[in-house]
Amino acid sequence: MPYPATDIAHGVDTLYEFLLIASFISCVLVIGGLILFAMKYRRRSEGEKTPYISHNTTLEFLWSFIPFVIFMVVFVWGWVIFHQFRSMPENALEITVEAQKWDWTFVYKNGRRTTGEFYVPVNEPVKLVMTSKDVLHSFFVPAFRNKQDVIPGRYTTYWFKANTEGNFQVFCTEYCGDKHSAMLAKVHVVSREKFDEWLGNEPYKGLSLVEIGKQIHQVRCSVCHTVDGAKNVGPSFAGLWGREEKLQNGEAVKVDENYVRESIVNPAAKVVSGFPAGVMPTFAGQLTEQELSGMIEFLKSLKK
Amino acid sequence: MATATAAGAEKNYLNEKSGLWSWLTTLDHKRIGILYMISVMIFFAIGGTFAMLIRWELFSAGKNIMDAKLYNQAMTFHGAIMVFMVIIPGIPAFLGNFFLPMQLGAKDVAFPRVNLMSWYCLIIGAAVAFFSLFYNGADTGWTFYTPYSINTQNGTVLLVTGAFIIGFSSILTGLNFIVTTHKLRAPGMSFWRMPLFIWALYSTALLQVLATPVLGITLLLLTAERLLGVGIFDPKLGGDPVLFQHFFWFYSHPAVYIMILPAFGVVSELIATFSRKTIFGYKAIALSSVGIAIVSFFVWGHHMFVSGQSQVAGIIFSFLTMLVGVPTAIKVFNWVATLYRGSVRFDSPMLFALGFLFLFTIGGVTGIMLATVGVDVHFHDTYFVVAHFHYVMVGGTLMAIMGGIYYWFPKMFGKMVNEFWARISFVLIFIGFNVTFFPQFILGAMGMPRRYFDYLVEYESLNRISSVGAWTIGVGFLIGLSVMVHGWLRGKPAGPNPWGGKTLEWQTASPPPHENFHVQPVVTAGPYEYR
């Protein structure tokens, strides 16, 4: 088990340890009995007589009833923990989570958006209101021992109160296609002061447009578009700027400012031949003008 | 057959007619059983090859031999083939077809033509499913979750249609078994004198008939949505993606018991015969099969604890799932108790039965962990689940199939297999299995999600161990196959009853004659009368 970073996670671990011990004891009893009987009563000569034992009501009652009692104990115990997972706290810090193939975006009340990582204050309850733009995803943080499917067309919720500062891994655990295993994110648990500072900060303070584009590429595009010329799900960005691209409908288009912008906000409009249509999701409304310009400058910088 | 013994020179079901056509049009349940045996083995080889490739890809982090697209297809086909074409038909349609009428003392199943048709359903369905490979395959996983399965661009419709057709094979076999069990029992064979293999097949048949149509309808709705754009599951069209999961698991959870109940039956036979002792708690084992079958209809929601279903539903499904644990535990205790003061021989079928008990016990206790809802929230969709269901499906069902094949091989072909190599195959499969899947419990507890083409480096060493184990299993099965082929070609004559079995199939020649028994058997006692 990974490090438990919430109080509930500690509770889960205690129950898990109980289950492990109980399971180990039952395995030793069953498998031990199996090996003991099989060896002790192995056939020594053909034609041996065996006793005719059809059943034993007391014994059968006991080995039905005792497991039943154990099962009920762990059932109720599990119920209690599940209830803690699913009872949303009042006054929690609310963050909206948007999942799409294949990244996680986190939106704060003040409008701050961040993709691939997000910050939360330590020792304060945080509530995530999650939805998906395309298919099913599932939000899983092993350190919190909790996961929740993220469903298109409705909201699901998830809460945690991290008790330790640190960076924790977020996985997508509902199969969502080619890059399912690359749909990762990090949750940074920091002190309240650091959190406030981060939340209030201009995200791109002091960065040039190229650097902004580079940052966006890393968190949002690099899963599908390489910068070293290798073909991935989508075309590589290396040397793309200014090139004539052949489209699926046979036309050709020059990669310029307008084409890049259109491909980001309406990717289905002009699909380069050799790549499937409908794979790239739209980023309309998700990038600011500054960020779009950053992407364009970044592509220019990759020109050969 | 020049040097055949007196028994072998007789007419039997194998040599009564010859030629491929006589096999393809046969109405003899034994020959249909053999047809199933061959087809299931071929499907198993294909599904197993996918498994080997998957483990090869997962040997190291990053890309090894295939890209994510191909990996997701391999993962989908491995699952779909193993579930729909190997484990579900494995015991009922193959061993059941052959031995259900024989253990009942009947000449054949109730509807021989329907029986043949169900085999053709399997073959046609499988052909349609494999045809999807020419249309860019399918990458949805065997569960076809919406809305991904509606939008992904490839041969998913063909794979779904294949599964739909194979469903009919399952339904028809189940129907046949129910009617046969009710109507064609030998004189004196009351329900309480039926072998436990029959009880298990009977319970399975009930599930097949009642649950499989739900899968059929679900897959039909999915196809309608894809081809005609009817909005049922896709939220873009006003549908509900979680509804699909309810429909799917309403079939697929009972299907888990379609896969494991027959294995319980096989193991009951093996334990009784090789301990030469009456089974402990016959009625408890028989009724627990029926009990599991009934309760299994009400536990589908435990696949959906984190799907967005209500908290109340999650708790109820957790409770009901715990209830399934009780009859399952009863069975395991009964088998162990049967060994007590028995006369135990370690022939290869018994090794597989003991291996089954070992692995299934681990599969069972981890099942209870997963049923504990507070803990499952962490384990759901991680490798812990993968390890758990492989312990049950492979460690349980496949071990039972192998044990069953070695047990009944002398009856089916009238020849013995090479015992030494049969035991070697057991040892490799058993050790390889634990090496493959035990590390996956740890990976799951560490949080590694399933269906991942690539993983974080901290998971690498355990994945390597797992891959090596998988290849060991592969070698074990290859040896097992050679043992069977060798036994079929060169095996020593077996005689009618090499293991000293008490059930009716051992009272006739090996291989059995066309209508099983020369004289109609009359039953005067229970199935395991060793006294």
Side-chain angles (χ1 to χ4, degrees):
Chain A
M1 287 284 213
Y3 178 81
T6 62
D7 294 344
I8 304 182
H10 276 291
V12 172
D13 287 6
T14 312
L15 173 52
Y16 174 63
E17 277 153 24
F18 174 80
L19 281 164
L20 267 187
I21 293 166
S23 301
F24 184 75
I25 294 172
S26 14
C27 281
V28 167
L29 286 177
V30 171
I31 295 169
L34 172 84
I35 294 171
L36 176 77
F37 291 160
M39 296 314 289
K40 189 169 174 198
Y41 302 109
R42 67 181 177 275
R43 196 171 299 177
R44 290 161 209 278
S45 68
E46 291 304 316
E48 273 176 352
K49 284 278 171 209
T50 54
Y52 189 87
I53 309 170
S54 70
H55 66 285
N56 178 329
T57 311
T58 319
L59 197 59
E60 289 184 74
F61 172 76
L62 278 180
W63 71 37
S64 313
F65 187 70
I66 294 172
F68 177 76
V69 171
I70 298 173
F71 294 167
M72 284 306 108
V73 169
V74 293
F75 159 67
V76 174
W77 194 343
W79 175 1
V80 171
I81 290 175
F82 188 60
H83 186 72
Q84 295 170 350
F85 274 137
R86 291 291 182 264
S87 312
M88 298 297 148
E90 309 272 320
N91 310 323
L93 168 72
E94 264 189 40
I95 305 172
T96 305
V97 180
E98 297 166 5
Q100 69 175 5
K101 290 192 268 185
W102 289 281
D103 58 35
W104 300 98
T105 297
F106 306 88
V107 186
Y108 290 80
K109 284 272 167 73
N110 70 350
R112 172 96 200 239
R113 301 176 68 92
T114 148
T115 297
E117 56 171 0
F118 70 115
Y119 286 79
V120 295
V122 70
N123 288 327
E124 286 182 43
V126 176
K127 179 178 170 187
L128 306 179
V129 180
M130 310 188 289
T131 189
S132 164
K133 298 196 163 171
D134 37 44
V135 299
L136 298 177
H137 301 282
S138 189
F139 185 88
F140 176 39
V141 184
F144 302 159
R145 308 284 186 273
N146 194 2
K147 68 168 68 69
Q148 173 64 51
D149 283 8
V150 182
I151 304 165
R154 68 163 89 160
Y155 294 107
T156 50
T157 51
Y158 183 107
W159 86 275
F160 59 90
K161 191 169 125 187
N163 58 19
T164 321
E165 291 183 29
N167 307 322
F168 302 102
Q169 184 67 47
V170 179
F171 289 113
C172 173
T173 45
E174 188 63 72
Y175 175 72
C176 58
D178 290 355
K179 298 286 176 180
H180 170 49
S181 58
M183 189 166 164
L184 309 172
K186 286 267 188 205
V187 44
H188 302 289
V189 179
V190 296
S191 65
R192 183 77 212 184
E193 298 79 59
K194 276 194 185 155
F195 174 74
D196 283 336
E197 191 191 326
W198 175 83
L199 191 64
N201 259 351
E202 275 295 308
Y204 300 120
K205 211 169 180 178
L207 292 183
S208 70
L209 279 178
V210 179
E211 285 165 331
I212 293 174
K214 190 172 177 185
Q215 223 177 60
I216 295 168
H217 170 264
Q218 236 158 32
V219 292
R220 310 223 57 173
C221 321
S222 60
V223 170
C224 302
H225 300 278
T226 68
V227 289
D228 60 4
K231 185 179 159 178
N232 198 331
V233 175
S236 171
F237 285 165
L240 186 64
W241 187 262
R243 204 163 66 194
E244 286 268 314
E245 286 282 64
K246 233 183 130 210
L247 299 183
Q248 273 182 345
N249 58 14
E251 289 171 22
V253 65
K254 187 162 184 275
V255 180
D256 58 8
E257 284 87 350
N258 275 319
Y259 175 68
V260 169
R261 184 190 178 89
E262 185 181 26
S263 296
I264 293 174
V265 298
N266 185 14
K270 294 185 179 122
V271 181
V272 175
S273 83
F275 293 94
V279 170
M280 174 153 163
T282 169
F283 289 83
Q286 299 184 32
L287 297 182
T288 60
E289 283 303 322
Q290 185 196 24
E291 289 171 324
L292 281 171
S293 312
M295 276 314 294
I296 289 168
E297 289 306 312
F298 177 61
L299 280 178
K300 283 182 188 167
S301 76
L302 295 171
K303 191 178 171 183
K304 277 176 185 157
Chain B
M1 297 292 273
T3 58
T5 58
E10 274 181 28
K11 282 275 181 200
N12 62 49
Y13 81 102
L14 287 169
N15 61 18
E16 195 178 60
K17 288 184 190 143
S18 63
L20 185 63
W21 187 244
S22 77
W23 279 91
L24 292 179
T25 57
T26 183
L27 298 178
D28 185 335
H29 69 98
K30 298 183 288 301
R31 285 188 156 210
I32 295 173
I34 299 294
L35 290 178
Y36 270 112
M37 173 183 183
I38 296 166
S39 24
V40 167
M41 279 181 172
I42 292 171
F43 298 144
F44 180 66
I46 300 171
T49 309
F50 279 117
M52 297 299 125
L53 293 175
I54 288 172
R55 282 317 318 171
W56 191 357
E57 172 53 45
L58 293 176
F59 186 71
S60 319
K63 182 183 160 183
N64 294 312
I65 55 163
M66 51 176 129
D67 59 12
K69 228 180 188 55
L70 212 57
Y71 175 84
N72 290 336
Q73 303 215 354
M75 169 274 279
T76 302
F77 278 90
H78 167 69
I81 291 171
M82 288 305 197
V83 169
F84 294 117
M85 304 180 203
V86 178
I87 294 194
I88 289 181
I91 296 181
F94 154 38
L95 292 172
N97 235 317
F98 204 108
F99 291 104
L100 176 122
M102 295 192 71
Q103 289 198 329
L104 288 174
K107 289 176 180 171
D108 207 312
V109 293
F111 309 116
R113 282 189 175 77
V114 172
N115 198 18
L116 182 64
M117 189 167 112
S118 73
W119 181 71
Y120 277 104
C121 283
L122 174 69
I123 296 303
I124 293 168
V128 172
F130 285 123
F131 206 62
S132 67
L133 286 169
F134 297 104
Y135 287 88
N136 292 325
D139 66 341
T140 58
W142 78 278
T143 47
F144 310 119
Y145 268 19
T146 55
Y148 187 82
S149 55
I150 291 165
N151 301 318
T152 183
Q153 289 177 339
N154 49 34
T156 305
V157 167
L158 283 170
L159 185 60
V160 167
T161 311
F164 175 76
I165 300 171
I166 292 172
F168 281 96
S169 166
S170 193
I171 295 171
L172 294 176
T173 303
L175 182 73
N176 227 331
F177 285 3
I178 292 175
V179 178
T180 308
T181 307
H182 274 282
K183 287 293 172 192
L184 297 183
R185 300 193 306 278
M189 170 83 76
S190 63
F191 258 67
W192 293 119
R193 284 179 183 169
M194 294 195 308
L196 288 167
F197 185 51
I198 305 286
W199 274 101
L201 286 174
Y202 182 77
S203 318
T204 310
L206 290 176
L207 290 177
Q208 287 176 305
V209 170
L210 293 175
T212 318
V214 179
L215 176 76
I217 294 163
T218 310
L219 296 181
L220 215 55
L221 290 175
L222 181 62
T223 311
E225 177 146 6
R226 267 195 77 125
L227 297 181
L228 309 172
V230 186
I232 301 159
F233 304 124
D234 188 348
K236 282 199 192 105
L237 303 169
D240 181 353
V242 181
L243 180 67
F244 177 85
Q245 296 177 30
H246 281 290
F247 281 170
F248 182 83
W249 289 113
F250 187 81
Y251 161 74
S252 293
H253 196 79
V256 170
Y257 293 95
I258 292 177
M259 302 179 217
I260 193 69
L261 279 175
F264 293 160
V266 172
V267 169
S268 302
E269 299 295 317
L270 296 181
I271 301 252
T273 302
F274 289 94
S275 313
R276 193 175 282 175
K277 188 158 165 290
T278 195
I279 199 103
F280 185 91
Y282 169 87
K283 282 194 182 181
I285 296 182
L287 289 178
S288 64
S289 286
V290 182
I292 290 172
I294 294 168
V295 183
S296 75
F297 273 103
F298 304 103
V299 298
W300 79 89
H302 69 218
H303 298 267
M304 301 171 57
F305 285 150
V306 302
S307 70
Q309 75 180 1
S310 77
Q311 191 191 338
V312 178
I315 289 159
I316 292 171
F317 281 122
S318 170
F319 171 74
L320 291 168
T321 306
M322 293 292 179
L323 291 189
V324 184
V326 177
T328 314
I330 290 175
K331 277 179 191 286
V332 172
F333 296 139
N334 278 316
W335 289 321
V336 175
T338 303
L339 296 173
Y340 173 69
R341 296 180 65 195
S343 169
V344 182
R345 262 185 72 148
F346 298 101
D347 297 294
S348 49
M350 185 60 164
L351 288 179
F352 276 101
L354 297 175
F356 168 98
L357 276 180
F358 186 102
L359 301 175
F360 185 77
T361 304
I362 297 175
V365 294
T366 52
I368 292 297
M369 292 189 191
L370 290 173
T372 309
V373 55
V375 177
D376 180 71
V377 170
H378 178 63
F379 288 143
H380 181 80
D381 267 332
T382 66
Y383 263 80
F384 197 93
V385 176
V386 176
H388 160 70
F389 72 71
H390 279 92
Y391 262 84
V392 179
M393 297 288 105
V394 184
T397 309
L398 263 179
M399 295 298 265
I401 294 183
M402 290 298 285
I405 293 178
Y406 284 141
Y407 177 56
W408 280 306
F409 191 91
K411 181 52 64 181
M412 290 190 282
F413 299 102
K415 296 173 181 178
M416 302 299 288
V417 297
N418 183 311
E419 184 57 30
F420 175 76
W421 284 103
R423 289 182 193 192
I424 297 283
S425 77
F426 166 78
V427 171
L428 284 177
I429 294 171
F430 182 77
I431 293 176
F433 180 84
N434 285 299
V435 173
T436 309
F437 292 106
F438 203 83
Q440 296 188 1
F441 281 124
I442 306 169
L443 282 171
M446 287 165 71
M448 178 174 165
R450 64 191 284 209
R451 295 179 168 177
Y452 261 32
F453 155 74
D454 191 10
Y455 47 79
L456 305 181
V457 280
E458 66 217 60
Y459 302 132
E460 192 169 49
S461 46
L462 286 167
N463 268 295
R464 293 215 157 157
I465 298 173
S466 183
S467 290
V468 172
W471 300 327
T472 316
I473 303 178
V475 173
F477 275 113
L478 283 179
I479 293 177
L481 180 67
S482 339
V483 168
M484 286 170 213
V485 173
H486 178 266
W488 175 55
L489 294 173
R490 297 267 163 85
K492 295 198 182 77
N497 193 358
W499 312 119
K502 290 285 181 189
T503 41
L504 285 180
E505 78 271 27
W506 301 109
Q507 322 282 311
T508 187
S510 309
H514 174 56
E515 288 189 329
N516 299 345
F517 301 96
H518 293 294
V519 185
Q520 170 68 55
V522 176
V523 181
T524 53
Y528 311 108
E529 292 294 307
Y530 295 92
R531 30 179 156 196

